[in-house]
Structure formats: structure tokens, C-alpha cells
């Protein structure tokens, strides 16, 4: 059987290693960090285990996916996110019935012919100059890891027409702990941590790897499972150079900046999810430590991330203040602890997840194409089914590739 190197121990790298080992392949994983899981990363806040990265199981139209099956196989209890959502408008809240101007905009883009792609911001402005509409969609595309100024209108329309997500949390564990435990049981012996790969020299017959510490390794094939940011920034040197079309494809795929904020409070403050806040796109109440510790989570991406970077301390202060306003309680006195995970500054990752830049077109198809049946590319950014950014979207690319071996 072939010797196969896998660069990156995120969920796609771990999954493809697991599947190939089941087929009898000799596999070695090289991970630059000192932990496995990539953007599914664990941590602690007030000694309670938390997810600093990927946390939810997303299903499309409530249809099980490969991650659903894995979780159920291991008898993990899934809790649906069913809290009502309230829309914040000008400091006031109301039941989250989609505002008429938003409904009208969706109807407008669903019937309009776009000969050329353009940013969602341009499309919004062409439809209406109402500032509410722009702000609403800044919050809307936050979970797509981008802002309206960089989001492709064509892809936005395609994504929104293709699925409705259903979200679940893991009841008695964190996603990061589960992923670590699940894959440690099968691939722990073939993982080399703290081993960044600096150079990949490939021919049709052999792949030679050189680590940051100048260690040399030889394999028959190599699977690259690193965030798209690392390929865009040439963090790995390929010899010979990758085809120009592939390099161009990498750079046509967006990679979002972003921060995850988790706040612990002495009591539950928000009985529903709030959307379209001034300082955060949304506030979601969760419970850690077997549902005993009230917490509020938000993700700051797109324009929200840019505001955060201008004044991080002031942004967090304003977030706590806004939570207090929405709850009608003294959030400052009830705040126990908080943590900020800045994925844009996480070494070897440098971003949250990929999004559809204006003009992306078929870039993901080109990006994931193998080279000479020797180099292979997987990960959430290589997903061509509009589930990039999801944990199961990354896993899907691993399953698809393993079936070809």
C-alpha cells in the first residue's frame, strides 16, 4: 500500500487519515500546532470546558449528514437550538418576523438576472438606500464570515436558495472534546504535532517533505488539509510550483477574519436569541457544564470584526452593555468571566472559514483538483456543495477523497 502524508490535523485531515487507515494505507499526519482539531479547538473559562471554535452541528433542512451519523453512533445527545429570535431595530426589539423591505429585497434578487457578479453591498444599494437594509444584511452575512462589500451576490443567492440550516448543540460534552476523543482513538499513533511543513517537492513517483526544523520525509502521495489562508500566503513552498490556475483559484476564495466571544454570567440574562445588535450581529444563550453555567456567545466577523479591531476593549465593554439593555438587568455586575478567541491571529490558521468572494465562480472546483494523482487538497474551503464553513463540510471533502483511493 502507498505511504501517504497528510498535512494538517483539522477535522478533514483526521477523517481522511481514519478512512485510509481502515483501507490499509500507511498514513502519517503532520500538524503545525500542539493540538488536533484545527478550528474545532477547546479551551477553558472559569475551569469549565468550552469550544473556542466550531461548536454546533449544522444540518441542512434537518437532513442528517456524516457528522450527525458519527455523533449518533457514539450516542451523543443533540439539543436543537429552538429559542425564539428577536430582531433589534434602533435599540428596540420585536418578534423576528422578516421586515417587509427584507422580503422585498429577497424577491428582487431572486428574479433579477445578474450577467456579472457584484458585491452584495452594491446590489443592496441599487435596490434601496435605506440604511436599515444594509445593516440587516451585515448581520445576516456575519455567519458567512464576511461583509456585504465582499460577499458575492450570485453565491449569496445560490446559498440562500439551496438550504435552510438546523443547528444542534452537544448536550454533555463540547464539540472539541468529542472530536479529539473520537479521532485520538484511531489516529493518535500517526500524528506528529508541532511539525510545520515548509516545503513539498513532488514528482509523479515521490513526494519529499521538509519541515520547519529541516527534517526530511518521503511519501508516495500527499494530502494537503490546511486552511486556505496558508495556501494564499504561500506558507508551504511547492516544487515545482503549483499550476497558475490553481494559485489563482486559491486567491478567488475568501477567508474571513473573526473573533468568538464567550461571556459567563451569574444568571441567565437572555431568554431568546437577539439578532441585528449594534455591537454584535447576534447574542445566543448557551449552557456549559451540563446546562448549569449560563453563557452568551457571539461571533464578530465582517464589519463587526473590523469595529472590534479598532478598539477591542471598548467593543467588549459595549457588548456587555448591550446585553444589559436587552435583558433589562445590570449585566456588568452579573458578568463572571469572558474570553475572546481571535481566529485571525491563530498561528497556522489566520482566519475563521472561507466565504464566496465576488467573482469566485468555479474557483473551489479548480482549487480541490488533484495534481498528477500525487497531491490532493481537502478542507472546508474545498467543499463545492455550499457547506464550506461547516464542520461536516470539511469532513465531506475527506470522505469524497477517501472513496477515490
Amino acid at each position: 500500500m502507498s505511504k501517504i502524508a497528510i498535512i494538517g490535523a483539522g477535522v478533514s485531515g483526521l477523517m481522511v487519515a481514519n478512512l485510509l487507515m481502515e483501507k490499509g494505507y500507511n498514513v502519517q499526519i503532520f500538524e503545525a500546532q500542539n493540538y488536533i482539531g484545527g478550528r474545532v479547538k477547546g479551551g477553558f473559562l472559569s475551569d469549565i470546558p468550552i469550544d473556542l471554535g466550531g461548536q454546533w452541528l449544522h444540518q441542512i433542512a434537518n437532513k442528517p449528514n456524516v457528522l450527525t451519523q458519527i455523533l449518533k453512533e457514539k450516542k451523543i445527545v443533540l439539543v436543537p437550538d429552538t429559542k425564539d429570535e428577536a430582531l433589534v431595530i434602533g435599540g428596540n426589539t420585536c418578534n423576528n418576523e422578516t421586515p417587509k423591505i427584507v422580503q422585498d429585497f429577497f424577491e428582487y434578487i431572486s428574479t433579477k438576472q445578474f450577467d456579472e457578479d457584484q458585491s452584495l453591498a452594491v446590489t443592496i444599494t441599487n435596490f434601496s438606500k435605506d440604511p436599515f437594509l444594509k445593516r440587516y444584511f451585515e448581520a445576516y452575512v456575519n455567519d458567512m464570515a464576511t461583509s456585504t462589500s465582499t460577499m458575492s451576490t450570485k453565491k449569496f443567492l445560490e446559498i440562500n436558495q439551496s438550504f435552510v440550516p438546523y443547528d444542534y448543540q452537544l448536550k454533555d460534552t463540547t464539540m472539541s472534546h468529542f472530536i479529539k476523543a473520537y479521532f485520538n482513538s484511531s489516529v493518535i499513533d500517526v500524528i506528529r504535532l508541532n511539525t510545520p511543513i515548509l516545503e513539498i517537492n513532488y514528482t509523479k513517483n515521490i513526494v519529499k517533505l521538509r519541515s520547519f526544523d529541516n527534517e526530511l520525509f518521503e511519501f508516495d502521495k500527499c494530502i494537503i488539509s490546511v486552511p486556505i489562508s496558508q495556501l494564499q500566503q504561500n506558507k508551504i513552498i511547492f516544487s515545482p510550483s503549483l499550476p497558475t490556475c490553481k494559485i489563482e483559484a486559491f486567491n478567488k476564495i475568501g477567508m474571513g477574519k473573526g473573533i468568538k466571544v464567550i461571556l459567563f454570567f451569574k444568571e441567565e440574562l437572555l431568554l431568546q436569541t437577539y439578532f441585528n445588535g449594534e455591537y454584535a450581529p447576534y447574542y445566543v444563550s448557551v449552557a456549559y457544564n451540563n446546562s448549569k453555567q449560563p453563557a452568551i456567545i457571539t461571533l464578530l466577523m465582517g464589519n463587526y470584526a473590523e469595529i472590534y479591531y479598532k478598539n477591542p476593549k471598548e467593543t467588549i465593554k459595549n457588548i456587555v452593555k448591550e446585553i444589559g439593555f436587552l435583558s433589562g438587568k445590570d449585566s456588568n455586575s452579573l458578568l463572571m468571566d469572558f474570553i475572546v478567541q481571535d481566529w485571525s491571529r491563530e498561528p497556522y490558521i489566520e482566519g475563521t472559514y472561507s466565504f464566496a468572494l465576488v467573482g469566485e465562480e468555479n474557483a473551489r472546483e479548480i482549487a480541490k483538483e488533484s495534481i498528477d494523482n500525487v497531491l490532493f487538497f481537502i478542507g472546508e474551503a474545498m467543499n463545492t456543495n455550499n457547506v464550506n464553513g461547516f464542520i461536516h463540510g470539511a469532513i465531506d471533502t475527506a470522505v469524497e477523497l477517501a472513496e477515490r483511493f
Side-chain angles (χ1 to χ4, degrees):
M1 281 288 191
S2 299
K3 288 179 60 181
I4 302 174
I6 299 171
I7 315 301
V11 290
S12 60
L14 294 169
M15 176 57 82
V16 77
N18 190 42
L19 295 173
L20 292 179
M21 289 173 66
E22 289 179 354
K23 291 186 172 186
Y25 285 95
N26 184 346
V27 170
Q28 179 77 65
I29 304 176
F30 296 90
E31 170 54 50
Q33 299 271 36
N34 62 357
Y35 67 92
I36 68 170
R39 284 164 277 180
V40 181
K41 180 182 180 182
F44 290 88
L45 184 60
S46 298
D47 297 324
I48 295 174
I50 58 174
D51 283 309
L52 294 170
Q55 176 170 341
W56 283 271
L57 163 68
H58 301 289
Q59 290 185 168
I60 307 306
N62 208 23
K63 294 179 181 178
N65 54 56
V66 64
L67 180 57
T68 311
Q69 304 297 348
I70 291 171
L71 291 165
K72 289 188 174 180
E73 170 194 325
K74 294 300 179 181
K75 296 181 169 50
I76 300 298
V77 178
L78 302 176
V79 180
D81 282 347
T82 56
K83 287 191 175 180
D84 293 333
E85 191 169 279
L87 178 64
V88 182
I89 304 177
N92 299 311
T93 61
C94 60
N95 292 332
N96 195 27
E97 296 179 2
T98 306
K100 186 177 186 306
I101 190 172
V102 174
Q103 296 180 38
D104 291 344
F105 177 73
F106 273 118
E107 184 177 349
Y108 164 73
I109 62 173
S110 65
T111 57
K112 182 176 174 58
Q113 292 292 325
F114 294 94
D115 296 329
E116 294 184 4
D117 199 6
Q118 62 190 30
S119 75
L120 189 60
V122 169
T123 306
I124 291 169
T125 301
N126 289 342
F127 175 76
S128 172
K129 301 295 192 296
D130 189 328
F132 165 77
L133 190 65
K134 176 73 158 47
R135 177 172 159 179
Y136 180 96
F137 278 100
E138 289 299 343
Y140 194 98
V141 301
N142 179 83
D143 261 8
M144 298 178 184
T146 185
S147 65
T148 61
S149 63
T150 52
M151 180 72 195
S152 158
T153 294
K154 283 187 175 181
K155 284 291 183 180
F156 175 81
L157 182 59
E158 182 181 322
I159 290 168
N160 276 277
Q161 289 179 335
S162 64
F163 65 80
V164 176
Y166 286 70
D167 298 336
Y168 298 81
Q169 294 204 57
L170 282 56
K171 182 180 179 183
D172 299 318
T173 186
T174 61
M175 182 66 77
S176 51
H177 181 269
F178 171 77
I179 291 294
K180 182 178 179 180
Y182 180 81
F183 287 108
N184 263 347
S185 65
S186 58
V187 301
I188 187 63
D189 293 333
V190 299
I191 299 174
R192 284 187 57 135
L193 299 176
N194 300 304
T195 311
I197 296 301
L198 184 63
E199 184 176 1
I200 299 176
N201 186 299
Y202 65 98
T203 67
K204 290 185 178 180
N205 300 315
I206 194 167
V207 179
K208 296 180 181 180
L209 309 181
R210 180 167 65 89
S211 74
F212 189 81
D213 293 329
N214 280 320
E215 291 183 278
L216 300 177
F217 310 92
E218 289 190 2
F219 293 87
D220 299 306
K221 299 178 186 294
C222 182
I223 300 171
I224 293 94
S225 174
V226 301
I228 192 69
S229 59
Q230 306 305 285
L231 298 172
Q232 292 169 337
Q233 298 174 41
N234 300 313
K235 293 294 179 73
I236 298 175
I237 301 168
F238 290 90
S239 181
S241 298
L242 296 176
T244 301
C245 64
K246 184 171 283 290
I247 295 171
E248 291 175 347
F250 291 158
N251 290 311
K252 285 184 177 181
I253 300 171
M255 179 59 158
K257 295 181 180 179
I259 302 99
K260 185 173 186 177
V261 183
I262 305 174
L263 308 102
F264 279 1
F265 292 93
K266 295 176 183 177
E267 62 183 68
E268 188 173 19
L269 295 185
L270 303 180
L271 300 180
Q272 56 189 342
T273 295
Y274 286 86
F275 173 75
N276 196 46
E278 182 176 354
Y279 302 105
Y282 50 74
Y283 297 104
V284 181
S285 293
V286 299
Y288 286 106
N289 195 23
N290 294 326
S291 302
K292 295 178 182 178
Q293 176 57 62
I296 293 175
I297 291 176
T298 191
L299 299 176
L300 308 177
M301 296 188 275
N303 282 5
Y304 290 95
E306 297 304 327
I307 292 170
Y308 170 86
Y309 288 128
K310 289 177 182 177
N311 195 331
K313 290 184 179 179
E314 188 67 19
T315 300
I316 298 301
K317 179 180 177 181
N318 287 331
I319 283 173
V320 174
K321 182 179 178 181
E322 186 164 46
I323 291 171
F325 174 79
L326 295 172
S327 66
K329 297 183 180 181
D330 185 356
S331 53
N332 275 305
S333 66
L334 293 173
L335 181 66
M336 292 174 57
D337 204 353
F338 73 92
I339 191 168
V340 176
Q341 170 67 24
D342 187 349
W343 283 101
S344 304
R345 291 180 169 84
E346 184 77 5
Y348 304 107
I349 294 178
E350 300 175 272
T352 51
Y353 42 84
S354 66
F355 66 87
L357 271 175
V358 177
E360 178 186 291
E361 298 174 338
N362 65 338
R364 293 179 197 264
E365 286 84 353
I366 298 171
K368 78 172 188 177
E369 288 178 354
S370 63
I371 298 178
D372 297 331
N373 201 36
V374 171
L375 293 186
F376 305 87
F377 300 83
I378 60 174
E380 60 87 14
M382 306 300 164
N383 189 291
T384 56
N385 296 316
N386 289 329
V387 287
N388 52 283
F390 292 175
I391 298 172
H392 79 266
I395 293 175
D396 285 350
T397 65
V399 174
E400 179 184 345
L401 177 60
E403 290 174 348
R404 294 166 51 190
F405 275 73

